[in-house]
């Protein structure tokens, strides 16, 4: 299992992780989410040419929402 949304995003190659509503409810053991209480979460892993994880670009938002049509392509 992945105890944080960041760990889940890093484990999902080639995809953006979007949690449109209440990520704190999905990851109840994540202290950062408990402190921040975001309404949505989005993350994209940053990888090198060989597919090795270099980092993670992520954002919290105080509002629930999904991807805009331009962001889906």
């Amino acid at each position: 299992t992945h105890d944080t949304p960041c760990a889940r995003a890093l484990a999902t190659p080639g995809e953006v992780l979007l949690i449109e509503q209440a990520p704190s409810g999905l990851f109840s053991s994540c202290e950062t989410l408990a402190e921040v209480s975001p309404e949505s979460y989005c993350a994209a892993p940053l990888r090198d040419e060989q597919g090795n994880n270099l980092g993670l670009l992520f954002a919290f938002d105080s509002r629930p929402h999904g991807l805009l049509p331009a962001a889906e392509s």
Side-chain angles (χ1 to χ4, degrees):
T1 71
H2 304 293
D3 296 323
T4 67
C6 293
R8 182 178 289 182
L10 288 171
T12 308
E15 294 185 24
V16 172
L17 174 65
L18 175 64
I19 302 173
E20 298 181 48
Q21 292 185 330
S24 302
L26 296 174
F27 301 95
S28 58
S29 65
C30 181
E31 293 178 16
T32 301
L33 287 181
E35 291 173 16
V36 177
S37 295
E39 286 299 316
S40 58
Y41 173 92
C42 185
L46 304 173
R47 295 192 168 89
D48 65 15
E49 293 175 357
Q50 290 76 36
N52 299 307
N53 289 327
L54 299 174
L56 186 68
L57 178 64
F58 71 94
F60 296 135
D61 199 341
S62 58
R63 300 175 298 170
H65 61 82
L67 289 176
L68 299 173
E72 293 176 346
S73 56

